[in-house]
């Protein structure tokens, strides 16, 4: 009898525990078919996300750099590429890193307007000063751009670099492929890149920019004053003036 | 026999409760992390400037950080919210008691796979690692493992 009673108690306790547990688990489904179905659905969803979200790789053959191609181009005494009138009263040195997405933003959405409004009319000389300190893409891209500069295609090559930034890695194969797209002699380019002809130059220029006070990119040295970050052409914010305000100030004789 | 059954049930319940707490923690940390990344992605008040070693900046501004114009981080936050909702609903009985864990398994598996893809993109394409993205990859992996553990260890209890 006591044994029966004990069994009954345990049975009741087990039932109670089961009931409490039932809130969490008793009705839980565990069919292997369901597991398999869920796994397949999850994989299909991820494949769809990857396929739909994958950026189209730019496949340009030949490069149209738009208004940038209309400006006079040349090299400074230090070997830096420039656009515009060498005797322009306003000199903008643009420190940029090919691994920096803000430099891409500036180059693609603001720089063409700057060139159109102030470089083509001879007001501004725009000097490009590549640096390489933002990430691992920076140095190979900067060295490759120097190799492109050697064939007088710096601006075209730079355009392609920014087009592909964050889309494909800047490894040797892609950099050579970009050279082909920019219309460069790929054999000469490959030889230049593989021999690391400009490795030291890129490092020296980066160090020089840091000595100048450049701590990130893009940075603009406008007639000796440094301005950090992407700048608009026009701005109503007095604390962050645009190129228009700074250029007008300089033209009016202010610093 | 009943004694043994009861003991096993009791231990399993405690283990499962701990597992649920771990799942909640992972989902809440993942949610906060994703919300922060979404804020960084949408915030335009800071100067657009690349500092050396700005891994998150590079990753969060890449083309891979958006899906059809929606920040990936925001989708991640949505996923964590759904997972937290399912954890809560699961305890309320009914349909979600039956299928909640299954749904969590599917969603967290998709999250783990997509996180793995994004980590590959960070390493192989962008050459930049964003610690906040790594945190999200870890939290969703923990959530997934806990869900698998719960399914494997805590089978349905039938008479």
């Amino acid at each position: 009898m006591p044994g029966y009673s004990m069994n009954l108690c345990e049975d009741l306790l087990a039932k109670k525990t089961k009931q409490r547990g039932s809130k969490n688990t008793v009705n839980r489904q565990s069919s292997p078919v369901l597991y398999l179905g869920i796994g397949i659905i999850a994989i299909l969803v991820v494949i769809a996300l990857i396929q739909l979200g994958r950026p189209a790789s730019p496949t340009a053959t030949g490069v149209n750099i738009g208004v940038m191609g209309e400006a006079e181009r040349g090299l400074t005494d230090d070997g830096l590429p420039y656009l515009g009138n060498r005797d322009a009263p306003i000199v903008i040195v643009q420190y940029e890193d090919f691994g920096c997405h803000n430099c891409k933003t500036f180059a693609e959405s603001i720089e063409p307007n700057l060139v159109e409004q102030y470089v083509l009319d001879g007001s501004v000389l725009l000097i490009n000063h590549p640096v390489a300190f933002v990430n691992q893409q920076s140095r190979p891209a900067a060295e490759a751009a120097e190799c492109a500069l050697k064939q007088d295609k710096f601006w075209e090559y730079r355009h392609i670099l920014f087009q592909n930034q964050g889309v494909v890695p800047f490894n040797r194969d892609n950099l050579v492929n970009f050279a082909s797209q920019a219309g460069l002699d790929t054999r000469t380019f490959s030889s230049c890149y593989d021999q690391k002809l400009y490795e030291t130059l890129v490092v020296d220029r980066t160090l020089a920019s840091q000595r100048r006070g450049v701590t990130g990119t893009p940075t603009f040295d406008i007639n000796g004053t440094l301005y950090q970050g992407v700048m608009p052409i026009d701005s109503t914010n007095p604390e962050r003036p645009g190129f228009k305000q700074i250029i007008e100030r300089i033209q009016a004789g202010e610093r | 026999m009943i004694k043994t059954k009861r003991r096993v049930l009791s231990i399993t319940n405690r283990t499962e409760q701990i597992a649920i707490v771990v799942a909640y923690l992972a989902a809440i940390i993942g949610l906060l992390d994703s919300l922060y990344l979404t804020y960084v992605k949408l915030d335009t008040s800071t100067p657009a400037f690349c500092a050396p070693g700005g891994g998150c900046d590079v990753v969060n501004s890449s083309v891979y950080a958006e899906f059809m114009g929606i920040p990936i981080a925001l989708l991640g936050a949505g996923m964590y919210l759904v997972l937290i909702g399912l954890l809560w609903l699961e305890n309320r009985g009914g349909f979600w008691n039956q299928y909640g864990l299954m749904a969590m398994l599917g969603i967290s598996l998709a999250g783990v796979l997509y996180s793995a893809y994004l980590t590959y993109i960070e390493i192989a394409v962008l050459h930049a690692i964003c610690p906040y993205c790594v945190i999200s990859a870890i939290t969703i992996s923990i959530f997934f493992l806990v869900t698998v553990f719960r399914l494997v260890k805590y089978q349905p209890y039938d008479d």
Side-chain angles (χ1 to χ4, degrees):
Chain A
M1 193 68 176
Y4 173 75
S5 172
M6 183 68 104
N7 278 348
L8 188 68
C9 275
E10 285 180 339
D11 202 24
L12 280 171
L13 193 58
K15 267 190 178 169
K16 204 168 175 98
T17 312
K18 187 181 142 188
Q19 275 169 0
R20 207 179 293 141
S22 75
K23 250 188 144 185
N24 291 327
T25 58
V26 170
N27 293 323
R28 190 178 288 160
Q29 296 300 307
S30 66
S31 157
V33 180
L34 259 179
Y35 287 135
L36 189 66
I38 282 169
I40 290 170
I41 289 169
I43 290 167
L44 289 176
V45 166
V46 170
I47 289 172
L49 280 172
I50 291 171
Q51 287 301 325
L52 292 171
R54 182 174 286 174
S57 183
T59 52
T61 49
V63 185
N64 179 11
I65 58 171
V67 71
M68 310 281 286
E70 296 171 25
E72 188 184 327
R73 59 170 75 177
L75 290 178
T76 65
D77 296 340
D78 296 335
L80 292 167
Y82 70 77
L83 292 178
N85 174 12
R86 201 168 171 159
D87 299 320
I90 298 167
V91 177
I92 300 177
V93 181
Q94 174 188 357
Y95 294 91
E96 74 178 5
D97 189 307
F98 296 117
C100 167
H101 65 281
N102 288 312
C103 297
K104 172 188 166 87
T105 302
F106 176 78
E108 292 180 345
S109 58
I110 298 170
E111 193 181 48
N113 293 329
L114 178 70
V115 170
E116 190 169 20
Q117 291 180 40
Y118 297 105
V119 174
L120 292 182
D121 73 359
S123 307
V124 165
L125 174 70
L126 182 64
I127 299 173
N128 192 291
H129 190 301
V131 297
F133 55 45
V134 169
N135 57 43
Q136 291 172 37
Q137 310 265 31
S138 309
R139 212 149 108 181
E143 288 177 28
E146 290 295 335
C147 290
L149 178 63
K150 200 178 167 190
Q151 294 187 46
D152 197 24
K153 292 277 189 189
F154 171 82
W155 299 98
E156 288 78 3
Y157 195 79
R158 169 181 179 265
H159 179 80
I160 296 173
L161 280 174
F162 281 135
Q163 262 191 333
N164 286 277
Q165 186 200 85
V167 179
V168 293
F170 290 168
N171 55 30
R172 185 194 176 278
D173 288 350
N174 284 328
L175 291 170
V176 172
N177 185 24
F178 302 160
S180 165
Q181 290 175 33
L184 292 159
D185 181 320
T186 48
R187 191 175 293 179
T188 309
F189 176 89
S190 303
S191 165
C192 169
Y193 183 77
D194 292 341
Q195 289 179 58
K196 295 190 172 294
L197 290 182
Y198 294 108
E199 189 179 29
T200 312
L201 181 72
V202 167
V203 172
D204 289 347
R205 282 199 176 143
T206 302
L207 292 173
S209 73
Q210 287 171 328
R211 282 195 296 272
R212 174 70 186 87
V214 175
T215 55
T217 55
T219 292
F220 303 94
D221 179 337
I222 306 180
N223 276 14
T225 306
L226 289 184
Y227 299 87
Q228 289 188 330
V230 174
M231 278 169 56
I233 296 291
D234 200 355
S235 168
T236 52
N237 180 356
E239 287 177 12
R240 287 197 64 77
F243 285 103
K244 183 173 183 279
Q245 286 70 40
I246 294 167
I247 289 168
E248 283 175 357
R249 243 187 279 164
I250 294 171
Q251 287 170 336
E254 296 172 35
R255 244 327 259 282
Chain B
M1 180 164 173
I2 292 170
K3 223 176 205 172
T4 311
K5 206 173 198 176
R6 199 179 67 209
R7 191 173 58 80
V8 168
L9 262 178
S10 166
I11 289 167
T12 316
N13 265 339
R14 207 179 318 133
T15 312
E16 171 130 13
Q17 278 164 6
I18 292 168
I20 290 171
V21 169
V22 171
Y24 262 119
L25 278 176
I28 289 167
I29 293 169
L31 175 66
L32 294 175
D33 182 65
S34 302
L35 286 175
Y36 171 73
L37 280 172
T38 307
Y39 166 75
V40 170
K41 173 83 181 158
L42 299 176
D43 179 33
T44 52
S45 61
T46 50
F49 186 65
C50 296
C56 273
D57 216 19
V58 174
V59 174
N60 215 18
S61 62
S62 77
V63 288
Y64 297 95
E66 283 185 11
F67 177 76
M68 295 179 159
I70 305 164
I72 288 289
L74 187 61
L75 293 180
M79 177 191 73
Y80 285 115
L81 262 183
V82 169
L83 290 176
I84 290 168
L86 286 171
L87 276 171
W88 183 78
L89 283 170
E90 184 195 22
N91 211 25
R92 297 290 175 275
F95 177 83
W96 294 112
N97 180 232
Q98 281 191 5
Y99 296 102
L101 202 56
M102 283 284 180
M104 284 186 260
L105 180 75
I107 293 168
S108 60
L109 174 60
V112 166
L113 293 174
Y114 200 63
S115 283
Y117 165 72
L118 291 177
T119 306
Y120 159 76
I121 292 293
E122 285 184 55
I123 294 167
V125 177
L126 303 176
H127 295 270
I129 292 287
C130 170
Y132 292 99
C133 308
V134 174
I135 288 173
S136 183
I138 291 170
T139 53
I140 193 61
S141 301
I142 289 172
F143 193 100
F144 172 71
L145 290 175
V146 167
T147 307
V148 171
F149 170 81
R150 289 178 64 201
L151 278 166
V152 171
K153 289 293 259 188
Y154 205 43
Q155 288 298 312
Y157 181 78
D158 295 319
D159 277 327

